[in-house]
Amino acid sequence: MNQDAIKELLYKMADDLLILGHRNSEWTGLGPILEEDIAFSSMAQDKIGQSQALFEILHSLGEQEPDIVAFMRNANQFHNSQFVELPNGEYDFSTIRHFLFDHADQLRFEMLSNSLFEPLAKLSRKIKGELKYHVFHANIWVTKLGNGNEESHSRMQNALNECWNFALGIFEESQFERQLIEEKIFEGEVELKKRWLENISGILEKANLKIPNTNTWQAINGGRQGKHTPNLQPLLDEMSEVFKIDASAEW
Amino acid sequence: MYGNAYIDPNEKSNSITDGEDIQKLNAFESRISNGEKIEPKDWMPKEYRKQLVRMIEQHAHSEIIGALPEGTWITRAPGFRRKLALMAKVQDEVGHAQLLYSAAETLGKSREAMINDLITGKSKYSNVFNYPAYTWADACIIAWLIDAGAIINQVANAKGSYGPYCRALDRICVEESFHLKYGHDNVVTLATGSKIQREMVQAALNRWWPPIMHFFGPSDKISLHTEILMKWKVKMATNDDMRQQFLNMYVPKIWDLGLTVPDSKLMKNNENKWEYTEPDWDEFKRVINGGGPCNAERLAVRRNAEERGRWVRQALLAKDSKYLIPLA
């Protein structure tokens, strides 16, 4: 199997989860109701744990240890989509991002549970069970707030508009796309995006929210190749502030 | 975690049971002395309800405000293991607030009213959270020693008389005991680590020792008020007894790690009691009344969170919002 292709796939998935998990954890203590503080914290813990598991697979392929990889790289070495690094904004933005990202991630892990790269297939079968609950949570809140009152509806619609092109950036294709598909490691971003659109369309309709007009669609790419918004480096500086005091020490 | 509810020793006490039905009061007191629990719909004296609401509410506020100094370290926790553990710990604290607000609601005050009293400054929370957590080591000391103090307090209160509060505390204590292990493991790692790490943890202990000594509150003046609250099993132990218990359990552990407690008078006397420099109670009162280093910031953060989340809560209340069956 093409190791470079596998590594590229693992890095972008692990980085997405690490960065979004970090963002989700920023809601701790600040949610609109206590129950949502708790929910975002649970999802953050799952995501960080999932990213750690993916970094473990990378480590088994010869990359450095998860802590070193996660805490010692600079922004231009990260492969996450720009979408996940954006600041949390208000609860509308965070909820729409959670909805759009987790639907894609659930499908990604579902597809990968049949991967011929067995370590990833095995992990994916475990993770897709966790993601089921993230997607339930997102669906309930998007539907509830989309239909709540005028303010909540317009906030959610604005957030969806704001998120949309960034969300399309989740599906930025890798240079190894063809190899991944041919070797039956991953069915590819195009297929994932197609299924994602099918899944979210029904929920958004129930939520009374409209997907932006297709002629405005323009994926915000670059994240997968290390191009990021100015939001990522400060996040990483904060994340590694203590670790970098002495990266060789046990913390 | 939690700080001891502060009972003002100067509060008027002669009117505590004024106007209560003597027969009902006697029956209530004999149930408590028989070790029975009082439940939400049972008869209870007005003062009992008032004190419990105040105490449980303060406890709940302490949990959500306490999530702030530790929460700021979630995004900076060094390494996957610490990051995951701290997230889970702070999440537990928010969960405790949720449990406690529910317990207090059984006494007739809504969660919204309690949170409103918190952000307007009308009701208090534990004084320790008005101090800043400057470094990672501060967050570790909080997780170990503040949670240790909280456990002493909560284990005592869990034997109190009000059923819903006791049941919430039983569950909270189980979770807190994991926090204590987490905190201890962190402090051990730093205290046995590099020179920088050892200095960090000693400096954090020096900063947190005065708030820790304040934690259980000033010596209780023996007043009729305190006596009645103890008879009703609202207050379960004196502040000094709890402080002694804390010193007894934790000073040897601190010394074992090669750390120095910043109090040259700290020692056990011939009567097996700890002697220590009397904490600065004027400072304690100044901080409790809003003059601490972080009071304004903590309330501002909480107020801001409430304001930013208002539209979400209003949308949930919308009359015509559809009832949603979970999509499972």
Side-chain angles (χ1 to χ4, degrees):
Chain A
M1 279 184 195
N2 187 324
Q3 293 268 314
D4 290 339
I6 291 174
K7 282 185 189 173
E8 207 263 354
L9 176 67
L10 291 170
Y11 263 115
K12 74 178 177 188
M13 291 169 63
D15 286 348
D16 269 352
L17 289 165
L18 175 63
I19 303 301
L20 188 57
H22 184 100
R23 286 294 186 212
N24 281 349
S25 80
E26 291 175 347
W27 274 108
T28 311
L30 305 172
I33 53 172
L34 295 179
E35 287 74 5
E36 280 310 282
D37 274 39
I38 295 167
F40 264 89
S41 178
S42 286
M43 294 188 292
Q45 289 167 56
D46 281 350
K47 291 197 185 316
I48 302 276
Q50 291 158 3
S51 87
Q52 187 185 18
L54 290 164
F55 284 127
E56 289 288 359
I57 299 181
L58 276 163
H59 184 44
S60 73
L61 298 175
E63 297 296 294
Q64 284 187 291
E65 297 204 359
D67 276 351
I68 299 291
V69 176
F71 287 80
M72 295 301 283
R73 281 177 300 155
N74 285 320
N76 60 7
Q77 297 166 294
F78 269 75
H79 302 259
N80 58 281
S81 58
Q82 292 185 8
F83 191 31
V84 298
E85 74 205 33
L86 300 175
N88 281 341
E90 299 298 326
Y91 188 72
D92 43 21
F93 180 89
S94 284
T95 303
I96 290 284
R97 173 165 60 184
H98 153 44
F99 171 79
L100 296 174
F101 179 86
D102 282 332
H103 267 279
D105 225 32
Q106 186 194 36
L107 284 169
R108 188 185 293 276
F109 281 111
E110 241 172 60
M111 287 158 76
L112 288 168
S113 59
N114 300 315
S115 172
L116 288 190
F117 179 52
E118 186 49 31
L120 182 56
K122 196 175 160 204
L123 179 66
S124 299
R125 288 193 284 272
K126 174 177 180 285
I127 290 180
K128 71 176 186 175
E130 296 177 0
L131 274 167
K132 190 168 109 180
Y133 295 95
H134 297 205
V135 168
F136 281 167
H137 179 265
N139 288 353
I140 287 169
W141 278 94
V142 164
T143 319
K144 191 85 193 165
L145 293 174
N147 290 307
N149 57 24
E150 208 181 316
E151 185 186 1
S152 74
H153 172 77
S154 85
R155 276 173 169 273
M156 295 302 274
Q157 183 63 58
N158 289 341
L160 180 60
N161 299 346
E162 197 185 339
C163 285
W164 190 257
N165 285 334
F166 277 105
L168 295 178
I170 295 173
F171 311 102
E172 180 179 351
E173 288 184 84
S174 135
Q175 52 172 318
F176 301 109
E177 211 69 19
R178 199 171 44 82
Q179 287 97 317
L180 288 171
I181 296 169
E182 278 173 9
E183 296 194 40
K184 296 195 186 326
I185 296 164
F186 174 51
E187 288 165 84
E189 300 293 340
V190 172
E191 176 62 22
L192 173 61
K193 187 168 122 189
K194 190 180 130 232
R195 294 196 201 172
W196 174 76
L197 277 168
E198 281 165 17
N199 275 12
I200 62 169
S201 298
I203 310 288
L204 288 172
E205 202 172 310
K206 275 189 207 155
N208 197 20
L209 297 171
K210 289 194 176 54
I211 293 176
N213 207 317
T214 44
N215 60 22
T216 66
W217 291 16
Q218 192 165 21
I220 298 174
N221 289 337
R224 304 303 187 198
Q225 289 144 46
K227 293 193 189 100
H228 293 284
T229 67
N231 300 295
L232 183 59
Q233 190 59 48
L235 179 154
L236 297 173
D237 291 342
E238 183 175 329
M239 189 168 83
S240 58
E241 181 189 309
V242 180
F243 192 81
K244 282 181 178 165
I245 292 174
D246 185 350
S248 66
E250 192 191 329
W251 288 96
Chain B
M1 69 182 93
Y2 170 44
N4 198 17
Y6 178 61
I7 294 173
D8 184 349
N10 301 316
E11 205 166 323
K12 279 184 194 158
S13 56
N14 52 3
S15 60
I16 292 176
T17 54
D18 274 7
E20 299 291 1
D21 180 322
I22 292 297
Q23 270 186 330
K24 285 180 178 166
L25 182 63
N26 287 342
F28 167 85
E29 290 186 343
S30 73
R31 282 184 67 195
I32 290 177
S33 70
N34 289 337
E36 283 179 52
K37 299 288 184 199
I38 304 300
E39 296 299 334
K41 289 187 175 156
D42 296 347
W43 184 89
M44 61 186 82
K46 286 191 285 297
E47 183 66 14
Y48 178 83
R49 184 184 300 273
K50 183 182 139 195
Q51 288 295 341
L52 273 167
V53 169
R54 198 185 56 94
M55 193 165 137
I56 303 172
E57 181 182 353
Q58 271 190 33
H59 185 172
H61 295 335
S62 301
E63 301 282 358
I64 49 169
I65 296 289
L68 300 178
E70 284 190 294
T72 58
W73 288 95
I74 290 175
T75 53
R76 291 176 275 179
F80 276 105
R81 182 163 159 256
R82 297 304 188 196
K83 198 172 174 75
L84 284 166
L86 183 58
M87 285 191 319
K89 179 201 188 289
V90 182
Q91 182 189 37
D92 280 354
E93 309 293 7
V94 179
H96 297 169
Q98 188 199 17
L99 272 176
L100 291 161
Y101 283 124
S102 300
E105 279 189 314
T106 63
L107 292 159
K109 187 170 181 181
S110 71
R111 191 202 282 188
E112 291 72 19
M114 289 185 266
I115 290 183
N116 199 41
D117 283 350
L118 168 67
I119 61 183
T120 56
K122 193 177 159 199
S123 57
K124 305 285 183 213
Y125 54 87
S126 178
N127 223 22
V128 283
F129 304 122
N130 288 319
Y131 292 88
Y134 283 117
T135 70
W136 169 248
D138 291 60
C140 300
I141 291 283
I142 294 174
W144 184 32
L145 294 177
I146 301 293
D147 283 47
I151 291 176
I152 289 174
N153 189 291
Q154 288 165 15
V155 166
N157 282 340
K159 297 187 186 76
S161 60
Y162 189 58
Y165 188 38
C166 298
R167 289 188 287 273
L169 285 173
D170 282 340
R171 189 169 147 186
I172 290 170
C173 286
V174 175
E175 295 187 349
E176 290 291 347
S177 67
F178 278 99
H179 300 179
L180 185 68
K181 284 182 191 168
Y182 159 82
H184 187 238
D185 184 65
N186 269 285
V187 173
V188 170
T189 303
L190 295 177
T192 57
S194 67
K195 185 164 175 284
I196 294 176
Q197 288 175 317
R198 290 197 305 274
E199 283 168 4
M200 266 174 89
V201 74
Q202 180 64 57
L205 178 63
N206 295 351
R207 276 192 288 278
W208 281 87
W209 191 253
I212 287 167
M213 291 299 282
H214 283 148
F215 184 78
F216 298 99
S219 299
D220 305 283
K221 284 187 190 162
I222 297 306
S223 66
L224 181 61
H225 193 199
T226 325
E227 258 177 53
I228 291 177
L229 292 179
M230 291 187 89
K231 182 162 75 177
W232 288 350
K233 296 188 183 170
V234 171
K235 186 171 175 59
M236 298 300 293
T238 70
N239 296 349
D240 281 332
D241 283 348
M242 288 190 284
R243 193 164 20 244
Q244 283 290 331
Q245 200 187 333
F246 172 83
L247 294 170
N248 224 10
M249 288 171 78
Y250 293 97
V251 170
K253 291 192 170 76
I254 295 169
W255 284 343
D256 272 353
L257 291 172
L259 295 168
T260 307
V261 176
D263 178 356
S264 56
K265 290 193 185 156
L266 185 73
M267 59 167 279
K268 218 175 205 183
N269 67 19
N270 297 333
E271 291 156 11
N272 218 19
K273 288 268 182 198
W274 286 91
E275 289 179 8
Y276 47 81
T277 307
E278 193 60 26
D280 181 350
W281 296 113
D282 290 335
E283 146 112 357
F284 175 79
K285 280 180 195 137
R286 192 166 60 244
V287 176
I288 239 179
N289 290 315
C294 295
N295 299 57
E297 185 199 321
R298 299 276 187 252
L299 283 188
V301 170
R302 194 63 245 163
R303 206 176 290 129
N304 187 30
E306 287 303 306
E307 279 165 17
R308 286 172 61 191
R310 183 165 292 124
W311 70 271
V312 178
R313 297 190 297 277
Q314 278 170 352
L316 295 180
L317 293 171
K319 278 192 192 119
D320 53 352
S321 89
K322 294 178 205 157
Y323 175 72
L324 290 172
I325 298 161
L327 299 158

